Amino acid sequence: KNTKRLYVWGEPVKYGSVYLLPYIRFIRNTDNTEQVGLLIANYPENRLESITRDLMSDKKTQVENVMIVSDGVVFSSWEKELIGSSLREVTEGKAEEGTFDADYNGENCMFLSYMNESSSDWKYIAVISYWEMHEASRSVLFLFALISLICAAFIFLASYMVSRSISKPLEYLSGAMRDIGDHDLNIQLKKPD
């Protein structure tokens, strides 16, 4: 009754296996001084879920969950058991404004929070696992390690071949000098391969 807005969203109502979101629009008299009626329509929550799933399917990062929250109450969620609970319950008291960290399903996750356009007071919160967020970094590190290993193997092979091309003639010459030192003066030096 105290709101200046023309409409409000009621808390989710479970109807069978489906959650409904009541949309309540106030009807006021012509001079807008007194409320004369209400228009109530129920919106199926699963349509919000399908919209958020479609939006997130285009993203490269795997999202654990998307919740729609209003006044601290979860209105829509990919996990239906969270609907109607407070965001503080879901995040074990760590709910904050903006982006924050909290445990979710036993995993450390980032809660990315943003507001919808000004026509709604709903807050959209995407829950992303840190493991998933760092997947690209791990791929880059693995690729870097693989390239480093290949480069190290190439350097080792090249240095072995260069050192071998230098040491083989020296070993031959050293052997020939040993033979001369043993008083074998009839030795013929051949050019080594």
Side-chain angles (χ1 to χ4, degrees), residues 3 29 59 84 92 98 110 134 140 153 157 170 175 193:
T3 185
N29 62 4
K59 308 295 183 217
E92 298 172 353
M110 178 177 280
H134 296 293
V140 169
L157 183 63
L170 289 175
D193 294 337

mmCIF file of all heavy atoms in Angstrom, residues 3 29 59 84 92 98 110 134 140 153 157 170 175 193:
data_model
loop_
_atom_site.group_PDB
_atom_site.id
_atom_site.type_symbol
_atom_site.label_atom_id
_atom_site.label_comp_id
_atom_site.label_asym_id
_atom_site.label_seq_id
_atom_site.Cartn_x
_atom_site.Cartn_y
_atom_site.Cartn_z
ATOM 1 N N THR A 3 3.672 1.764 -1.619
ATOM 2 C CA THR A 3 4.497 1.968 -2.816
ATOM 3 C C THR A 3 3.916 3.047 -3.720
ATOM 4 O O THR A 3 2.702 3.231 -3.806
ATOM 5 C CB THR A 3 4.657 0.651 -3.601
ATOM 6 O OG1 THR A 3 5.553 0.892 -4.674
ATOM 7 C CG2 THR A 3 3.342 0.151 -4.158
ATOM 8 N N ASN A 29 -7.861 5.925 -9.238
ATOM 9 C CA ASN A 29 -8.903 6.778 -9.817
ATOM 10 C C ASN A 29 -8.275 7.807 -10.748
ATOM 11 O O ASN A 29 -7.059 7.911 -10.858
ATOM 12 C CB ASN A 29 -9.749 7.438 -8.720
ATOM 13 C CG ASN A 29 -8.924 8.341 -7.818
ATOM 14 O OD1 ASN A 29 -7.740 8.539 -8.037
ATOM 15 N ND2 ASN A 29 -9.573 8.886 -6.791
ATOM 16 N N LYS A 59 27.115 -17.968 -24.278
ATOM 17 C CA LYS A 59 28.353 -17.601 -23.588
ATOM 18 C C LYS A 59 29.330 -18.767 -23.611
ATOM 19 O O LYS A 59 28.950 -19.918 -23.625
ATOM 20 C CB LYS A 59 28.071 -17.207 -22.132
ATOM 21 C CG LYS A 59 26.990 -16.166 -21.962
ATOM 22 C CD LYS A 59 27.395 -14.856 -22.552
ATOM 23 C CE LYS A 59 26.318 -13.812 -22.295
ATOM 24 N NZ LYS A 59 26.123 -12.913 -23.365
ATOM 25 N N GLY A 84 11.898 -18.779 -3.789
ATOM 26 C CA GLY A 84 11.218 -18.381 -2.561
ATOM 27 C C GLY A 84 12.151 -18.201 -1.379
ATOM 28 O O GLY A 84 11.775 -17.607 -0.375
ATOM 29 N N GLU A 92 24.754 -18.327 2.217
ATOM 30 C CA GLU A 92 25.138 -18.505 3.627
ATOM 31 C C GLU A 92 25.538 -17.182 4.267
ATOM 32 O O GLU A 92 26.566 -17.066 4.927
ATOM 33 C CB GLU A 92 26.250 -19.547 3.745
ATOM 34 C CG GLU A 92 25.822 -20.909 3.257
ATOM 35 C CD GLU A 92 26.951 -21.916 3.181
ATOM 36 O OE1 GLU A 92 28.129 -21.535 3.383
ATOM 37 O OE2 GLU A 92 26.657 -23.092 2.935
ATOM 38 N N GLY A 98 26.695 -6.103 -6.075
ATOM 39 C CA GLY A 98 27.722 -6.280 -7.092
ATOM 40 C C GLY A 98 28.196 -7.720 -7.169
ATOM 41 O O GLY A 98 27.447 -8.654 -6.954
ATOM 42 N N MET A 110 31.772 -17.500 -8.032
ATOM 43 C CA MET A 110 31.606 -16.060 -8.120
ATOM 44 C C MET A 110 30.149 -15.782 -8.484
ATOM 45 O O MET A 110 29.602 -16.402 -9.392
ATOM 46 C CB MET A 110 32.537 -15.468 -9.180
ATOM 47 C CG MET A 110 32.359 -13.973 -9.338
ATOM 48 S SD MET A 110 33.515 -13.283 -10.523
ATOM 49 C CE MET A 110 34.951 -13.188 -9.476
ATOM 50 N N HIS A 134 38.517 -20.277 -14.674
ATOM 51 C CA HIS A 134 39.947 -20.396 -14.926
ATOM 52 C C HIS A 134 40.279 -21.465 -15.967
ATOM 53 O O HIS A 134 41.446 -21.742 -16.206
ATOM 54 C CB HIS A 134 40.691 -20.677 -13.617
ATOM 55 C CG HIS A 134 40.567 -19.552 -12.636
ATOM 56 N ND1 HIS A 134 41.133 -18.320 -12.845
ATOM 57 C CD2 HIS A 134 39.921 -19.461 -11.442
ATOM 58 C CE1 HIS A 134 40.865 -17.528 -11.834
ATOM 59 N NE2 HIS A 134 40.116 -18.189 -10.968
ATOM 60 N N VAL A 140 45.614 -22.138 -21.625
ATOM 61 C CA VAL A 140 46.761 -21.347 -22.092
ATOM 62 C C VAL A 140 48.036 -21.830 -21.411
ATOM 63 O O VAL A 140 49.081 -21.973 -22.057
ATOM 64 C CB VAL A 140 46.519 -19.842 -21.844
ATOM 65 C CG1 VAL A 140 47.785 -19.042 -22.055
ATOM 66 C CG2 VAL A 140 45.408 -19.327 -22.742
ATOM 67 N N ALA A 153 63.106 -29.623 -26.075
ATOM 68 C CA ALA A 153 63.545 -30.836 -26.771
ATOM 69 C C ALA A 153 64.304 -30.478 -28.048
ATOM 70 O O ALA A 153 65.338 -31.076 -28.362
ATOM 71 C CB ALA A 153 62.349 -31.718 -27.085
ATOM 72 N N LEU A 157 68.210 -31.329 -28.760
ATOM 73 C CA LEU A 157 68.603 -32.084 -29.947
ATOM 74 C C LEU A 157 69.583 -31.289 -30.811
ATOM 75 O O LEU A 157 70.601 -31.830 -31.267
ATOM 76 C CB LEU A 157 67.360 -32.466 -30.752
ATOM 77 C CG LEU A 157 67.583 -33.327 -31.980
ATOM 78 C CD1 LEU A 157 68.155 -34.691 -31.575
ATOM 79 C CD2 LEU A 157 66.280 -33.516 -32.743
ATOM 80 N N LEU A 170 87.379 -34.149 -33.250
ATOM 81 C CA LEU A 170 88.400 -34.029 -32.207
ATOM 82 C C LEU A 170 88.735 -35.395 -31.613
ATOM 83 O O LEU A 170 89.889 -35.677 -31.293
ATOM 84 C CB LEU A 170 87.939 -33.067 -31.116
ATOM 85 C CG LEU A 170 87.891 -31.584 -31.514
ATOM 86 C CD1 LEU A 170 87.312 -30.753 -30.385
ATOM 87 C CD2 LEU A 170 89.263 -31.083 -31.896
ATOM 88 N N GLY A 175 92.551 -39.792 -31.156
ATOM 89 C CA GLY A 175 92.920 -41.199 -31.336
ATOM 90 C C GLY A 175 94.138 -41.346 -32.239
ATOM 91 O O GLY A 175 95.033 -42.170 -31.978
ATOM 92 N N ASP A 193 84.097 -38.676 -41.252
ATOM 93 C CA ASP A 193 82.779 -38.374 -41.805
ATOM 94 C C ASP A 193 82.177 -37.191 -41.068
ATOM 95 O O ASP A 193 82.253 -37.095 -39.876
ATOM 96 C CB ASP A 193 81.836 -39.568 -41.668
ATOM 97 C CG ASP A 193 82.325 -40.730 -42.535
ATOM 98 O OD1 ASP A 193 83.070 -40.437 -43.498
ATOM 99 O OD2 ASP A 193 81.935 -41.862 -42.261
#
